[in-house]
Structures are given as C-alpha cells and as structure tokens.
Amino acid sequence: MFLLSFALYIPAIAAGPIALKSRQTSPQAFASSSDLSLALSSYNAPTLNGGNQGSISKTWQLTVDDTSSGKKQSVTGFGAAITDSTVTVFNALSSSQQSQLLQDLFSSDGVNFSLMRHTIASSDLSANAYTYDDANGQVDTSLNSFNLGASGNAMTAFIARAKAVQPDFTLLGTPWSPPGWMKLDNVLTGTTVNNNLNHDYVDSYAQYFVKYLQTFESGGAHVDAITIQNEPLNSQSGYPTMYVYADEEAGLIQDNVGPALQNAGLNTKIWAYDHNTDQPSYPQTVINGASSFVNTVAWHCYATNNSWSVLTDFHNSNPSVTQYMTECWTSPQTSWNQAADFTVGPLQNWASGAMAWVLGTDTNYGPNTGGGCTTCRGLFTVDTSAGTYTLQVDYYMLGQFSKFIPRGASVLDGTGSYDYGNGQKVEAVATLNPDNTRTIVVENTFDQDIWLSVTMQSGEGTWNGPITANGVTTWLLPPST
C-alpha cells in the first residue's frame, strides 16, 4: 500500500466552515483534523482517473458499489441529545450568541443536524432529578399534577427554536425514569432495590406519555418517536433510571403505551430497546412481542468490546426493521475520532443515523446530578461566566457526515475499510444522494496523509485524491455520466 513519489504536493489551506447551498456539479472535498487546523475546511478535491499524488507515500484503495444492487439503507440524519444541561448553558448566552449557535447546529451553513434526541424530564445531565408528575411523592393516577415545570418548558422552547431553523427535524424522546410513585420503590433516585415499574399504574404510565407528547406539541416541539425507557438494563441509584425486562417492555408497548397513543390520535412511533449491542435478544423480544407498534431499534455504544456488526446480524434477521445509533458519549477522555467512529461504524452496518451524547454542557461538563456521567462533554461547551461558546472537535467530526450526507441518501455497499486494531485505521462510508450526487466520508487515524483511490463499480472509473492525516475528509462527487 505504499508508493513513493517525488512530485510536490501542496496541502490545503485551512478555511472556515463552508455553506453548501446546493448539490455540486464538480468534485469537492472538505476536511476536519484532530488539531482543528482544518475545521470543515475546503480541501483538495479528488480527480476522476487522474490526479497528482505528489509526495504522499501512503496509498489506500476502496471500492464503492454505486450500482442499483449496491444500495442499502436510507439515511434519516445525524445529531445529538438535547438535555437539561444543553438548554441551561444555551440560555446563559446572549441573544445574538444563541442565534449564531442555532445556525451552527441546525442550518446548512452549520452542520445541519436533523436527527435529535431529548430527555423526557431529567437525566444525569440535569441539575436535579425530577419528572413531569412528581406530585410531592403522592400517587396521582389521574395525572392532575402533570406539569412540565421550568425545565420542561425551557426544553420545549429550545426544541421549537431549533425546529424553526431546521425544517427537516426528527425528534426522539426518551425518559430516564417515570415518576417515583409509579415504581415499586416509590422513589425517583436513591436505590436500585425494586427499581421497576409498579404494574398497578400501567394505565397512568401510558397516559404520562400521551400528556407529555400533547404538551410538547402545543409548545411547538413535535416529537416523532419515543423509546419507553433509556437503557432499560441499567439500574443506578445516583440518577434517574428504571430496570425494564425485555418481555416487560414488549408487553408495555403492545398492551398499554401503543394503544394509548393510538387512542389519543397520536402517530408517534415507538422504538425498541435504547441500550447496548451486547444484548440483541432484547430488541428481538420487543419486535416479536410488540410488532403492532414497533419497527425500529435504538442502540448505544457502551458494550465491552462493542461491535457494530451486531446491527448487520440484526438486519439479516429483520430486514424490514430500521436501526439507529441513539447514544454514544464524547468527553475529554475519548479520542478525537470518537464521533467519527460512532457514526461510520453504524452506517456501515445498516443504521439510518447516529446521535452523540450530549449536545451541550458547560466547561465543567454539567450541570449534572453528580451521578451517571460527570465527564460527558457537549459538542459545544459554554463558558457561563464569559457568555461564550466553543465548538468541540466532536462537533466537527460529526459534521463531516451531517453536513454532507442529506436526508434520503442511500448508503452504498463497499470494500476497503480496515482497522489494524492498534489505533490505526481507515474507515469509509459512501452514499448516493437524492439528486444523484455521491458523498464519501473517510476517517484516517494515521499520522500521515494518504492518497486514496476509490473505484466505482458502475464503471465510471476511479476517483483519486488526498485524505488528511488524523482527520476526517469528505468527498462530494457529481452525478455519474
């Protein structure tokens, strides 16, 4: 894979983020590097059946099946989780800073996020634990005490503003726990003993989702889908959680939550699971037991020795089921390519989108409850004292996908990605876009540029060009002729 050449190669000059107003008729490239000397910056464009390799010694070959038989899943989008921390730090900014940040996040001038997840009431990324019907700890089967409260109303307002910027906005809502009085332990946090739903209150539990959806809708925050429990196999005492068995989740959806939404005239979708790839039998149980209401599975990245190939196995068993990567953390403890990893891997394995945890935090990685994740860093961070925000490296790496792969694109089959297992790898994904342009996103963790050759199986030829070291490069190719 190595070839020496002595011609001069001049690297791209870093520029600011590029606004893509329309699909291109000539090839283009954009790149972000680990040190952010490139940050969604214009880069050296590839050439069809040619190109000047210059002094780049390392070469790499990929193939893309851009024929009709190469088409795989359709892409919905990319984004991150909107938590109370996100909303709190956003509201600490000035009006002008808020407007600019919304553009950075949700417009085509920014990274065009269009697939978002939000926490239904509190999570570990909240200043305190609460739900929308705490009722002072008293049983409230009629939900007379249901109230979004200040945090819920602030969440609704943020989502409404985001949707005003991004017209193609898909929103997933996920609870970390129902109200404490609905649980066998009668508390929201503090114990893992009997941290389960009290089935005496299943009707109220189902109506809790109905009231939440209706109230958010009235506030301009339409919710497209829900999962009924974040990480149902994760029971913790330091922040809101609840343990839900697989057959229990299937029954709750099929017999309670699904019919309640339907009877209320809501077309909200219900996605299964919302947890790690090491227990694929869980979503299979839910799909089998709640097929009237569930045709989508949500996955997280936290399994030991996580493998996204589980999604391919699941697809092979359930070819009509849609899949998403709905949570993976970013942190000072994760590598510069974390967001690229949790996006390209799922896309290669039949996922229709990926979402980071979390969209926004302060510079101390909060506000948070003190339990759960205390080092999760937002894609943007806010210095609340200075009233300024910073777009982190994960924002740019995820943006290499979200900005350039439009909704409705089809992922294409291909070969050539390889992980040496020592931190060095080249991973790629290609899409055929609705206007017949093509997007190829390449993650390169080598500390040297590579010369990439991509052969298109349609017979168009081979596209050649440089891929930046320690970074992600995106090629935009015109329609084949």
Side-chain angles (χ1 to χ4, degrees), residues 43-369:
Y43 199 64
N44 302 80
T47 303
L48 182 61
N49 299 324
N52 179 12
Q53 183 174 334
S55 60
I56 303 177
S57 61
K58 187 171 184 61
T59 64
W60 201 278
Q61 291 81 40
L62 299 172
T63 63
V64 171
D65 187 354
D66 58 335
T67 68
S68 58
S69 62
K71 288 185 179 180
K72 296 172 67 179
Q73 76 275 23
S74 179
V75 174
T76 302
F78 310 89
I82 304 167
T83 60
D84 287 335
S85 70
T86 303
V87 177
T88 298
V89 300
F90 175 83
N91 287 338
L93 296 170
S94 67
S95 177
S96 61
Q97 290 274 285
Q98 289 179 6
S99 296
Q100 182 57 57
L101 180 53
L102 289 172
Q103 294 295 316
D104 289 340
L105 296 172
F106 300 111
S107 77
S108 59
D109 290 335
V111 293
N112 208 38
F113 286 159
S114 62
L115 176 65
M116 304 299 293
R117 182 177 183 235
H118 93 94
T119 56
I120 300 175
S122 62
S123 70
D124 41 329
L125 268 296
S126 299
N128 58 282
Y130 69 94
T131 72
Y132 298 150
D133 196 334
D134 290 319
N136 294 317
Q138 302 302 306
V139 173
D140 181 29
T141 54
S142 60
L143 304 181
N144 289 328
S145 296
F146 185 94
N147 192 320
L148 295 185
S151 295
N153 284 316
M155 174 73 70
T156 307
F158 177 88
I159 293 169
R161 291 186 65 181
K163 290 172 75 72
V165 175
Q166 172 56 270
D168 294 324
F169 195 102
T170 296
L171 182 64
L172 169 68
T174 301
W176 265 234
S177 174
W181 58 265
M182 291 187 187
K183 294 161 49 171
L184 290 174
D185 58 13
N186 292 309
V187 293
L188 186 56
T189 63
T191 182
T192 59
V193 177
N194 292 323
N195 189 21
N196 309 86
L197 185 69
N198 184 337
H199 281 247
D200 289 346
Y201 303 127
V202 289
D203 292 339
S204 299
Y205 174 76
Q207 288 303 313
Y208 181 78
F209 285 101
V210 170
K211 296 202 74 166
Y212 141 71
L213 291 165
Q214 292 173 334
T215 307
F216 266 59
E217 182 75 34
S218 67
H222 175 75
V223 179
D224 298 277
I226 59 170
T227 54
I228 68 167
Q229 178 60 46
N230 174 66
E231 297 185 345
L233 300 178
N234 179 28
S235 179
Q236 302 287 334
S237 61
Y239 64 101
T241 61
M242 186 173 74
Y243 197 97
V244 182
Y245 297 95
D247 57 350
E248 181 184 21
E249 177 166 308
L252 287 169
I253 294 172
Q254 184 69 20
D255 300 332
N256 304 106
V257 179
L261 302 189
Q262 191 174 66
N263 292 337
L266 297 167
N267 61 1
T268 314
K269 305 299 182 184
I270 304 175
W271 298 359
Y273 194 37
D274 224 359
H275 210 170
N276 295 335
T277 57
D278 56 357
Q279 296 292 331
S281 62
Y282 190 114
Q284 188 66 67
T285 296
V286 177
I287 292 286
N288 292 345
S291 58
S292 301
F293 298 101
V294 180
N295 196 42
T296 302
V297 174
W299 303 95
H300 294 188
C301 75
Y302 308 116
T304 303
N305 299 318
N306 179 63
S307 174
W308 296 118
S309 65
V310 169
L311 278 66
T312 289
D313 295 339
F314 200 88
H315 168 80
N316 291 338
S317 299
N318 305 272
S320 65
V321 171
T322 302
Q323 302 181 80
Y324 293 97
M325 199 298 292
T326 54
E327 184 181 318
C328 196
W329 76 318
T330 58
S331 167
Q333 299 174 12
T334 57
S335 63
W336 66 264
N337 59 319
Q338 173 80 343
D341 276 353
F342 68 59
T343 305
V344 69
L347 287 177
Q348 291 171 338
N349 288 280
W350 293 93
S352 290
M355 289 178 275
W357 178 264
V358 53
L359 184 60
T361 62
D362 62 24
T363 53
N364 294 315
Y365 320 125
N368 58 63
T369 60

